[in-house]
Amino acid sequence: AGIDGIQRLLATERIEADEVERLTLMVPPLVHRLVGRPYREDMTVSYARLCFQYVGAVALRFGTVDVADFRPERLADPGLRDLSRRIEVVVDGNPDPNALVPQTVRVRLRGGAVREISVEHMLGSPMNPLSQAQREDKFRRAWSGAVRSLAPETADRAIAMAARLQELDDVRAFVRLAIP
């Protein structure tokens, strides 16, 4: 929800990452335990994926978070390191020990302006589903991030086949599309 909040702010406000003085993500206690870990110079991929300071910085700078953002060269990016250090995750006092939302993103810009948005439902949940275009974009980004190269034009075939998956007599044809 924090990434979704950043993306919503970027879509409605003109926010440049270098103008951000402080980004605060206010979250329920469970979310803080999951992603409130501090940025570290020696982060592993597994650590970075659950470090909102890092993924929030990536989302602020690039507008999204992808597989490529967890490669060694990106993890070592000094600009992301500096931006990560201007991000904090704080507990919002939600009494529900299992709550994942709401989450609030507050951005204080260097000029003193503050932008804020609350996300009431996780992106991809029934209350905030991905659109068809968002699902296809997410699929294409994952497809292009495969360790072994997968042909981009095959992604379109996979999307079309997935739309009629229940009609296939044999799903092996679908699976074969993902084999380089």
Side-chain angles (χ1 to χ4, degrees):
I3 294 170
D4 184 22
I6 289 171
Q7 290 174 325
R8 290 183 195 188
L9 281 175
L10 292 176
T12 60
E13 305 283 343
R14 186 174 169 357
I15 297 174
E16 298 294 328
D18 59 345
E19 295 174 6
V20 173
E21 182 177 300
R22 191 68 157 165
L23 184 146
T24 303
L25 178 65
M26 292 161 278
V27 299
L30 175 60
V31 175
H32 188 271
R33 285 192 303 279
L34 293 171
V35 301
R37 57 182 64 185
Y39 174 89
R40 291 183 5 196
E41 301 261 345
D42 63 343
M43 287 187 297
T44 63
V45 171
S46 296
Y47 185 96
R49 285 182 179 150
L50 293 172
C51 175
F52 186 79
Q53 284 185 307
Y54 177 73
V55 296
V58 170
L60 265 175
R61 186 190 280 170
F62 302 111
T64 191
V65 180
D66 282 320
V67 173
D69 296 314
F70 299 97
R71 293 191 176 131
E73 61 275 11
R74 185 62 58 87
L75 290 172
D77 181 318
L80 287 174
R81 178 195 63 227
D82 294 341
L83 186 54
S84 294
R85 292 183 174 150
R86 296 191 310 247
I87 294 175
E88 65 181 343
V89 181
V90 299
V91 176
D92 66 4
N94 188 323
D96 183 347
N98 298 311
L100 297 173
V101 288
Q103 293 183 29
T104 300
V105 177
R106 179 179 295 142
V107 178
R108 187 174 65 237
L109 302 173
R110 293 194 191 279
V114 175
R115 305 289 184 261
E116 183 174 302
I117 190 165
S118 288
V119 177
E120 300 297 322
H121 304 284
M122 300 289 288
L123 183 61
S125 74
M127 300 301 292
N128 187 14
L130 292 169
S131 68
Q132 180 68 25
Q134 288 173 309
R135 286 192 306 271
E136 289 180 11
D137 179 57
K138 183 175 181 172
F139 177 81
R140 283 188 177 90
R141 286 193 330 264
W143 188 270
S144 69
V147 173
R148 292 173 51 195
S149 183
L150 297 169
E153 63 275 5
T154 309
D156 292 329
R157 287 181 40 218
I159 289 169
M161 195 177 285
R164 55 185 190 79
L165 198 58
Q166 68 278 6
E167 299 167 13
L168 296 178
D169 293 329
D170 187 347
V171 295
R172 288 181 289 183
F174 180 72
V175 174
R176 276 190 221 102
L177 293 175
I179 300 172

